[in-house]
Amino acid sequence: MKGLNVQMLFNPQSCSLEILEATLTEKRRKLAETILSQIEDSIASKGSHNNLIIGPRGTGKTHVLHYIRRILREKRYPGNDVCNVIALSEDERGITSMLHFLIACLRAAGVENEKLIIMLDPDDRVRAVEDAENLFRQITRQKPTLLIMENLSDIFDGLGKEDMPKLRAFLQSNPYISILASSIFLFKESNKPDHPFYGYFSIHPLPFLDSREAREFLILLSKVNDKNNLNSILNTDLGQRRVNAIHHLTGGNHRLLSMLSHFLNSEGLDELVAPFQQMVDRELTPYYQQR
């Protein structure tokens, strides 16, 4: 793990399981294990359990989701012999119908684009949806299947009121499919009993880190990056006071703390201006610069 570029942590899809696991705070680890237990119960019973993580930008939702994905694929069920794990793109675009949703799932499952392009411009859309559903059943072999989706509220908005019931009906008729999703906020009208997905998910709020969790996270990052001097200071009362200042400036944002850790050293805890300037100049997207 020596020489790790912390920027990797903002692309958990390409981050190793070792790094994802080493940088999980205690509360996030407990959340991941709770969800993993539910998923494994579903696999054993060949039923489904659906989980939705809710939290603002930068709370670490992607980190948790892809830790779970890698645990399932690499440790607990390698080789897809027991279950399928299908992860859609973090910023899945263009899902405006049930057909588009199925094609996104098939693409994430490794189906060749040539087959999918033909489905995108069908003469008979109803038949195309049926063909896509049949292909999905074929490639999953109707084994326990976990669909991982980020920005669920955006996907539901794209589907609209016409196709969302179709998705619900598809999932109901294929009970071997479970969903693990994240969203910045709950999908629209989620509290209305007539919504197709009313009561469908177990909801898991994921708030920003408090000051003690922020220190825990920075300690984990310093260990991963072999910053032993920084780690020693962080474990003192003085270190907690310095982290309190960092926490005030970042708001406990998981992503901002990860970015800042790239520039922090033992001296940087005493003089925070330079690390913050470097982070703003080099790393931050316009969204986080504005924050």
Side-chain angles (χ1 to χ4, degrees), residues 6-18:
V6 177
Q7 194 173 1
M8 287 175 63
L9 292 172
F10 310 121
N11 186 19
Q13 295 92 328
S14 61
C15 199
S16 72
L17 173 59
E18 180 187 19

Side-chain angles (χ1 to χ4, degrees), residues 16-233:
S16 72
L17 173 59
E18 180 187 19
I19 298 302
L20 292 172
E21 191 165 21
T23 51
L24 274 178
T25 60
E26 183 180 359
K27 283 187 177 180
R28 281 157 174 72
R29 186 180 303 278
K30 286 181 179 178
L31 170 61
E33 290 302 327
T34 295
I35 294 173
L36 278 166
S37 177
Q38 293 171 347
I39 292 169
E40 294 194 303
D41 286 346
S42 299
I43 292 170
S45 65
K46 298 185 178 179
S48 65
H49 198 111
N50 305 286
N51 291 277
L52 175 59
I53 301 174
I54 299 287
R57 290 176 187 268
T59 52
K61 300 184 296 298
T62 300
H63 191 158
V64 173
L65 258 61
H66 287 277
Y67 167 72
I68 292 172
R69 174 177 68 90
R70 286 191 173 275
I71 280 285
L72 291 171
R73 279 184 171 173
E74 297 175 24
K75 277 195 172 181
R76 304 194 182 180
Y77 304 103
N80 289 347
D81 293 330
V82 178
C83 70
N84 306 292
V85 181
I86 300 173
L88 275 64
S89 170
E90 180 180 358
D91 293 311
E92 195 67 55
R93 305 293 184 186
I95 295 180
T96 59
S97 68
M98 181 63 189
L99 179 60
H100 292 150
F101 177 83
L102 289 167
I103 287 175
C105 293
L106 292 168
R107 184 185 296 113
V111 176
E112 297 176 356
N113 277 331
E114 289 76 7
K115 290 183 179 180
L116 302 178
I117 290 171
I118 296 172
M119 292 182 180
L120 278 172
D121 190 22
D123 295 327
D124 185 342
R125 184 165 286 267
V126 173
R127 179 63 181 271
V129 170
E130 291 176 356
D131 289 344
E133 289 181 357
N134 289 333
L135 181 57
F136 185 89
R137 295 186 187 98
Q138 178 184 332
I139 64 169
T140 59
R141 291 177 285 171
Q142 300 190 51
K143 294 186 303 182
T145 297
L146 179 68
L147 287 181
I148 299 178
M149 298 185 286
E150 302 191 57
N151 302 306
L152 182 70
S153 59
D154 291 343
I155 292 174
F156 279 2
D157 284 347
L159 286 172
K161 292 184 178 181
E162 182 178 345
D163 278 27
M164 218 181 311
K166 296 177 183 177
L167 173 58
R168 181 69 175 85
F170 171 71
L171 295 171
Q172 191 167 359
S173 62
N174 296 278
Y176 65 92
I177 302 172
S178 293
I179 292 178
L180 171 59
S182 69
S183 184
I184 297 172
F185 41 78
L186 280 172
F187 45 90
K188 293 177 182 177
E189 300 182 343
S190 61
N191 61 339
K192 294 187 177 181
D194 60 347
H195 191 283
F197 286 89
Y198 173 77
Y200 190 76
F201 294 97
S202 294
I203 307 296
H204 307 277
L206 191 64
F208 289 120
L209 299 165
D210 63 28
S211 60
R212 294 201 173 274
E213 290 170 332
R215 180 172 73 161
E216 178 192 358
F217 187 42
L218 288 173
I219 288 171
L220 293 172
L221 290 169
S222 69
K223 289 179 180 178
V224 163
N225 283 283
D226 295 328
K227 292 185 176 182
N228 295 324
N229 291 337
L230 176 60
N231 184 33
S232 297
I233 294 175

Side-chain angles (χ1 to χ4, degrees), residues 243-256:
V243 171
N244 290 345
I246 293 171
H247 181 268
H248 179 73
L249 290 165
T250 61
N253 187 295
H254 186 276
R255 186 170 296 180
L256 288 178

